[in-house]
Amino acid sequence: NAGVTQTPKFRILKIGQSMTLQCTQDMNHNYMYWYRQDPGMGLKLIYYSVGAGITDKGEVPNGYNVSRSTTEDFPLRLELAAPSQTSVYFCASRGHGGGQLNNEQFFGPGTRLTVL
Amino acid sequence: KNQVEQSPQSLIILEGKNCTLQCNYTVSPFSNLRWYKQDTGRGPVSLTIMTFSENTKSNGRYTATLDADTKQSSLHITASQLSDSASYICVVPDGGSYIPTFGRGTSLIVHP
């Protein structure tokens, strides 16, 4: 199992450009999440999905969009990049069933994005 | 609003020494709490889970405690190693949803 994979690892964007951060998991997990992590700060939830075709906003969704057409993939779209979106982005997934104890999130390696 | 507070924000210790990291939470209803370790440049990885009925759980040199009455958890690291240098994050799921509440983490640096 590759687990959760993210591409690219690093990216520099100019203000106003757009890009898609890719996230794929091979664990057949229903739940997937996108977080951003700013220096010295905790993880903040951008969007999440409880299954294919279902997405919902998290704490900081402005400036981002997501889609979930398959169980495996959960891409994050930045339409008009702004310097405030400079951050490290993590994708995560978790299984379903097994009650609350089955809530371990598996994280990807992250994408470091800089907007200049 | 559910909150998870961690202390200290950062900690520097010498190799071989012990240390204790703290986590206070106000998440309700409470069922369990996880500690994650995040190495520099990597995503977090789960270290251990503490359920409502557990007081202490060990995972090698890591020992987690939970006091559900005072809503506090601690992570004790024994005989620290250079590889323990990382951020340690306390996470409490919102009992009724799929959304966990993350603490800001404690950054631990172990010096030789």
Side-chain angles (χ1 to χ4, degrees):
Chain A
N1 279 355
V4 180
T5 57
Q6 292 183 238
T7 57
K9 284 188 169 55
F10 304 93
R11 185 72 185 268
I12 298 175
L13 284 181
K14 293 182 179 178
I15 294 172
Q17 287 185 319
S18 61
M19 76 165 294
T20 299
L21 282 67
Q22 301 291 346
C23 174
T24 300
Q25 53 91 9
D26 62 0
M27 296 172 282
N28 199 33
H29 285 169
N30 276 8
Y31 306 143
M32 295 188 74
Y33 307 80
W34 272 106
Y35 296 94
R36 61 176 287 172
Q37 187 176 39
D38 299 324
M41 303 295 286
L43 289 156
K44 294 191 176 181
L45 182 64
I46 304 171
Y47 271 94
Y48 67 99
S49 169
V50 299
I54 306 170
T55 62
D56 210 343
K57 296 178 180 179
E59 183 184 359
V60 290
N62 290 346
Y64 308 93
N65 275 303
V66 293
S67 60
R68 185 93 182 272
S69 57
T70 67
T71 298
E72 296 78 18
D73 300 306
F74 191 39
L76 178 71
R77 179 83 177 163
L78 282 71
E79 289 295 349
L80 291 170
S84 61
Q85 294 178 304
T86 293
S87 189
V88 181
Y89 292 83
F90 288 100
C91 179
S93 72
R94 59 157 280 197
H96 62 285
Q100 279 292 320
L101 297 185
N102 187 30
N103 61 12
E104 179 181 357
Q105 289 190 308
F106 296 84
F107 287 83
T111 293
R112 186 175 296 274
L113 175 66
T114 301
V115 182
L116 301 174
Chain B
K1 179 182 177 183
N2 294 331
Q3 286 189 314
V4 176
E5 302 288 342
Q6 292 188 245
S7 62
Q9 185 174 348
S10 61
L11 184 61
I12 300 174
I13 62 174
L14 291 175
E15 187 178 12
K17 298 296 186 182
N18 304 336
C19 66
T20 300
L21 316 179
Q22 301 288 347
C23 174
N24 296 343
Y25 60 92
T26 59
V27 178
S28 180
F30 174 81
S31 66
N32 63 82
L33 176 152
R34 277 191 190 271
W35 284 94
Y36 285 80
K37 179 186 180 188
Q38 184 178 20
D39 292 318
T40 301
R42 293 176 174 260
V45 176
S46 178
L47 280 174
T48 189
I49 179 172
M50 298 296 291
T51 63
F52 184 86
S53 59
E54 292 174 311
N55 296 118
T56 303
K57 182 184 286 185
S58 291
N59 178 6
R61 294 180 298 101
Y62 300 101
T63 299
T65 67
L66 176 67
D67 186 334
D69 291 330
T70 61
K71 299 186 177 182
Q72 295 180 325
S73 177
S74 67
L75 182 69
H76 185 76
I77 303 175
T78 303
S80 61
Q81 300 177 357
L82 298 179
S83 59
D84 293 329
S85 294
S87 179
Y88 292 84
I89 305 171
C90 178
V91 182
V92 184
D94 180 350
S97 78
Y98 315 109
I99 310 303
T101 300
F102 285 77
R104 288 190 176 188
T106 293
S107 175
L108 174 65
I109 298 175
V110 180
H111 279 311

